[in-house]
Structures are given as structure tokens and as C-alpha cells.
Amino acid sequence: MKRGNTTVIIGAQWGDEGKGKIVDVLSHNFSIVARYAGGHNAGHTVIIQGKKFVLQLVPCGVLRSGCRSVIGNGVVLDPLALLKEVKMLRDAGVHVDGNLFVSNRAHVILPYHRMIEMGAENAPGRVKIGTTSRGIGPAYEDKMGRRGLRVADLLDSSLLKSTVENACREKNMIAHALFNSEPLDADSMYAEYARAAEEIAPFVTDTALLLNQALAEGESVMFEGAQATMLDIDHGTYPFVTSSSCTAGGAVTGTGVPPNAIQTVIGVTKAYCTRVGGGPFPSEVEGTIADQLRARGNEYGAVTGRSRRCGWIDLPLLRYSQMINGVNWWVVTKLDVLDVLDEVPVCVGYRINGKKYDSIPALAIGFDRVECVYEKMPGWKTSTEGVTSFEQLPKKAQEYLRFIERESGAKVGMVSTGPDRDQTVLLPEFAAGFRAVTENAAPQKGARTK
Ligand code: GDP
Ligand code: IMO
Ligand code: MG
């Protein structure tokens, strides 16, 4: 039997591109949506008929009837955060039980990960990354250091007890010596996480097996990227990155499907650019124009509420993202945010110490010296909010999108003109491959339709 279709959705910039909305719009084409990296540092917003969901760990496919959700082995899982999210979904009438599957190989975030992160972020002499304080980095450190606790181990109470006791002893000493942190109590931690383990157990399975079996039976799978290319541990603006492989390659290692099973990669980019936290951002703007982008785009963290830094679309960065991820299609989001501008600057190249560069530098320090070369596109000064066909977009907005696609190595397949599910443009060639369901269907309740 023919293997089922697969598509990876990745963020092309520094996160918050609108991946959640796009996953939701396209999820109708897929039997399963799987998260493969990161943890509850993500905040993915979906708005259906004005009802807003912010998902951190559970894939956005959970909101679509007939779509199963997988949290893959590449994710770092905070059990308490998962249970909180599951409760929120249950309370909203979303079908989670029997529909959500958590990898037995995912690593677990424990309170000492947050303790170490807080200490390190605030320690004198350390580079402050501006993390989300969720314990993500230290949990991945323990995974790579081969001393982490996996979900399968969480469910084994004697293993949980010994790991928590040993880790607390070690981490308390380190955190006290380095950061003067208050020690954590192993007994109460064990009790709390043993209780959480019982509640999580029904969701836990070998998700690599589940995904590969589903693909072999011809079912289609979408991989929901979290974070973004420039936050990737290898390809991003190191050290101002997250600690996982958020690029398309992570979909393979983070779920256990083979590389030759990946068919399509969709890159999500804003029509401009934002970043939250520290680190280089060559096309950043400040002052009134940044305030205007922030206000129109509501550029505040979906979970942390932190104000996002704003700037213009950066084509060298998009070209790099296209190359690293093998992007087949771009989805350009938040076009409507630019509706009021007289002109829209686009970063078309970089200059470092007077020399022109087409690619992005490896060093954060190199980034600091980057001067953007801008080309100014005329603004369209007409509302695009809620437009659903390319022809209905103002000519100048169409030209802006065509310019991006000519300069960035992949075609624009979709444009988002507002946060709601139905405020979406599908270009015909893209639509031929993906049936977008943008009708105002209510979020899923009850039975699976598969
Ligand atoms: P994600 O992390 O990539 O899923 O993105 P976030 O949910 O963190 O941030 C994207 C924000 O933009 C959310 O508040 C969305 O509701 C909103 N959004 C998504 N697409 C559009 C759009 O086309 N126009 C506008 N104005 N807002 C959008
Ligand atoms: P979504 O999936 C935007 C940023 C943090 C910080 C850096 C490291 O919603 O796009 P971490 O807590 O991961 O160790 O923080 O990465 N960051 C994000 N920025 N969107 C995200 O996720 C992010 N996840 C992490 O702000 O700069
Ligand atoms: Mg987000």
C-alpha cells in the first residue's frame, strides 16, 4: 500500500509566525498531527469563530475532529503543564482522551530544570538568552548528558523515586554552589510527579510505532514545528536559540519516521519579522514604526505576554531557511498588519564591514555588524483583513508577495489575512494539493470521524 502523505510545518524566522493557525487550517487534510521538538516554551494560537485556544504542548490538530495528536520523542514534556492543557481542552469540550498519544521516549522536565535555568539566566557573567523559564534547556542538557528521565521511566515509580532523589541531591548542590538557589525537596517532588504519572499513563505509547504504522496504512501525517529555524540549536543565531532541532530535520529524529517519508515542507513567515528574547535581529526597527507593527500585529507573547521586537521581512534569512528546511511552499501570515504603511521596506541583502553577503553569518557577533540593504516596496494602503482570494488582494500587496517568492526560493502557497481560521487565501496551485477547510466549523467535540 502507498505510504500516506506527510507535511512538515516549520517557522522560518524566530517563532510566532502563526504556525498554530496554519496547522489548524490544513489539519483537515491529515489523520494525525505530531509535535516533534521543544516543549511548553511554544505558544500556538488558533482562533475558531472568535474562540481562542493557545496550545503549548498538544498539537493544534486536536481541535479538528477526526485528527489524532502525537507528542513525539523529540519533545521535552512537563507533566504538570501537559495535565493543565489537557484539562483546559476537556473543559472546552475537545476530545482529548483516546485521541492524544505521548511518546514513551520523550524526556521529562522536572522542577530542578527550572531552578538551574533561572540561576543560569540571572548569574553574573553568563550570556542572558531571555528564555521562557520553562526548564527547556536544562532538560535537553540532561537528555544529551544521558542522565535524563524519560516518560517511560516516569511511569516506573521506583525508577522515578531514585532518579528524583539522585538528581535533587546533585542539582541542589550545583544550584546552591553556583547560584545560591534554595534546595528542592525530593520527597514532595516524587509524590507530585508520581501522581501526575498516573494521570498521564493512559496517553503514553510508542509513538514512533504508531506513526509508522499509520503511514504504512496510507494515513497522512502533519508535523507541527515549534519555535523556528533561527532558534534551531544548530542553524539558528547561536547562542540565542532554543535547545532543540526545530528545523524540518527534527521532524525525523523527533518522531521516529524515516527521512524518506517526508514529502512536503511548508515554511511559515510573517509578512514582516519579530523576535522575542535576546539575540541578533538585523532588520529590527525601533520607535514609532515598531510600536505601530506591535500594536497592529498584537505582538505580545501568546503565553508569556512578553513584548515582541519587530522589524522588516529579511530575504537573506528566508533564503537560508528555505535551504535548511527544503521549503516547498511559503505561507505568508499577518499581511493585514502592513495595510496602513506608505511603503514597506524589505531587507534584500546584508553588508558586513562594507562587503556584501547573501548568506547569514555563523557568529552572533557577526550578526551585530550586519547592515541590512533595503528595497522599499510601495504600500497598498487598503484593508486586506479577511480577504480570501489572491485576486481580491490589492495589486501592490500581490506584487509584494510575488517579490518575496521570487527572491526567497519557494512559491507562496497561502496568505493569512487575519487570525481567524477563515481569514486565509489559498493560491490555486497549492490548493490543488491541500484542501483547506476554512469554513467556520466549531472546534471538535466528541466522536472521531475517521
Ligand atoms: P505560532 O507560535 O507560530 O503558532 O504563533 P503565535 O500564536 O505565537 O503568534 C501568532 C499571533 O498572530 C497569534 O496571536 C495569532 O492569532 C495571530 N495571527 C495569525 N495569523 C494572523 C494574521 O494573518 N493576521 C493577524 N492580524 N494576526 C494573525
Ligand atoms: P513558538 O512555537 C518565539 C525563544 C525564547 C528565547 C529562546 C530560548 O510559539 O513559535 P527557551 O525557553 O526555548 O530556552 O528560550 O527561544 N523562544 C521562542 N520565541 N516563539 C517560540 O515558540 C519560542 N520558544 C522559545 O524567547 O529567546
Ligand atoms: Mg508562539
Side-chain angles (χ1 to χ4, degrees):
M1 185 182 270
K2 189 177 167 292
R3 190 145 66 183
N5 292 328
T6 53
T7 294
V8 185
I9 308 280
I10 55 101
Q13 301 165 318
W14 281 284
D16 304 327
E17 295 89 349
K19 299 176 290 294
K21 168 182 165 166
I22 302 311
V23 167
D24 173 60
V25 169
L26 295 177
S27 58
H28 197 75
N29 296 272
F30 298 89
S31 312
I32 302 178
V33 179
R35 273 279 305 269
Y36 60 86
H40 65 314
N41 48 349
H44 295 178
T45 314
V46 176
I47 302 181
I48 308 169
Q49 279 185 298
K51 180 156 174 49
K52 180 168 160 179
F53 294 86
V54 179
L55 294 165
Q56 294 186 258
L57 271 166
V58 179
C60 295
V62 77
L63 302 173
R64 181 75 73 183
S65 175
C67 202
R68 280 169 288 157
S69 296
V70 165
I71 296 180
N73 55 278
V75 169
V76 282
L77 187 97
D78 180 329
L80 306 187
L82 177 70
L83 290 173
K84 193 168 154 213
E85 197 162 317
V86 164
K87 179 177 183 317
M88 178 275 287
L89 289 165
R90 279 182 187 141
D91 290 350
V94 176
H95 179 199
V96 205
D97 300 282
N99 209 23
L100 170 67
F101 303 88
V102 174
S103 170
N104 50 8
R105 292 176 173 81
H107 276 250
V108 178
I109 302 181
L110 287 146
Y112 44 76
H113 293 128
R114 281 191 295 279
M115 171 176 74
I116 298 275
E117 178 172 348
M118 298 292 271
E121 277 283 274
N122 298 315
R126 287 273 193 122
V127 177
K128 193 172 169 69
I129 309 290
T131 68
T132 59
S133 315
R134 303 287 193 268
I136 304 290
Y140 278 116
E141 278 179 52
D142 276 356
K143 171 178 175 174
M144 292 306 179
R146 296 163 293 180
R147 54 180 176 265
L149 181 88
R150 304 200 295 177
V151 169
D153 312 329
L154 177 76
L155 303 190
D156 178 325
S157 63
S158 65
L159 205 50
L160 173 65
K161 195 166 186 3
S162 61
T163 305
V164 165
E165 279 170 359
N166 291 333
C168 276
R169 194 175 318 114
E170 194 177 293
K171 312 278 182 193
N172 280 341
M173 276 164 72
I174 293 172
H176 180 72
L178 293 182
F179 315 124
N180 204 21
S181 312
E182 286 295 314
L184 295 170
D185 177 51
D187 289 340
S188 57
M189 194 184 300
Y190 165 71
E192 186 173 26
Y193 282 79
R195 268 197 310 277
E198 274 176 34
E199 285 187 64
I200 283 172
F203 299 111
V204 178
T205 189
D206 185 330
T207 50
L209 209 56
L210 183 155
L211 288 167
N212 281 288
Q213 272 169 0
L215 285 173
E217 284 165 17
E219 291 194 74
S220 53
V221 179
M222 173 157 54
F223 299 90
E224 176 176 336
Q227 289 76 54
T229 308
M230 287 297 129
L231 290 172
D232 182 275
I233 185 73
D234 286 285
H235 305 292
T237 47
Y238 192 91
F240 298 96
V241 293
T242 188
S243 298
S244 67
S245 297
C246 12
T247 40
V252 169
T253 51
T255 62
V257 303
N260 58 1
I262 304 294
Q263 294 166 329
T264 307
V265 179
I266 296 178
V268 186
T269 171
K270 281 181 188 169
Y272 49 102
C273 197
T274 64
R275 160 160 221 174
V276 57
F281 182 178
S283 63
E284 182 171 15
V285 285
E286 277 163 14
T288 325
I289 189 75
D291 293 343
Q292 191 181 26
L293 288 174
R294 192 173 299 113
R296 286 188 56 80
N298 189 24
E299 296 298 355
Y300 298 92
V303 179
T304 59
R306 290 186 296 172
S307 166
R308 295 178 185 146
R309 299 155 65 192
C310 295
W312 305 118
I313 203 161
D314 179 337
L315 295 176
L317 185 154
L318 282 192
R319 283 194 284 270
Y320 204 77
S321 270
Q322 192 283 327
M323 176 184 81
I324 293 292
N325 295 293
V327 170
N328 303 103
W329 295 100
W330 292 121
V331 175
V332 180
T333 59
K334 306 191 94 161
L335 186 70
D336 53 297
V337 172
L338 304 183
D339 286 349
V340 294
L341 300 177
D342 293 326
E343 51 186 25
V344 189
V346 175
C347 170
V348 294
Y350 290 162
R351 211 178 278 126
I352 305 175
N353 297 331
K355 199 166 168 254
K356 263 191 81 184
Y357 286 84
D358 284 332
S359 193
I360 58 178
L363 297 176
I365 184 90
F367 254 109
D368 286 343
R369 293 201 207 104
V370 165
E371 265 179 77
C372 286
V373 179
Y374 287 105
E375 209 164 304
K376 288 188 174 154
M377 302 289 289
W380 42 94
K381 304 211 62 154
T382 315
S383 173
T384 61
E385 199 188 335
V387 169
T388 55
S389 89
F390 193 75
E391 288 65 38
Q392 281 165 11
L393 289 173
K395 276 278 162 311
K396 285 179 177 142
Q398 293 185 12
E399 281 159 20
Y400 181 68
L401 294 165
R402 291 300 183 207
F403 183 73
I404 293 172
E405 92 179 350
R406 266 200 312 279
E407 298 289 322
S408 63
K411 289 192 165 181
V412 172
M414 236 170 118
V415 182
S416 175
T417 56
D420 210 284
R421 187 185 261 185
D422 60 356
Q423 295 176 306
T424 310
V425 174
L426 253 87
L427 281 94
E429 202 185 329
F430 180 87
F434 293 96
R435 213 156 45 87
V437 173
T438 55
E439 90 277 9
N440 268 332
Q444 67 106 331
K445 276 201 185 80
R448 259 177 32 208
T449 56
K450 196 177 78 63

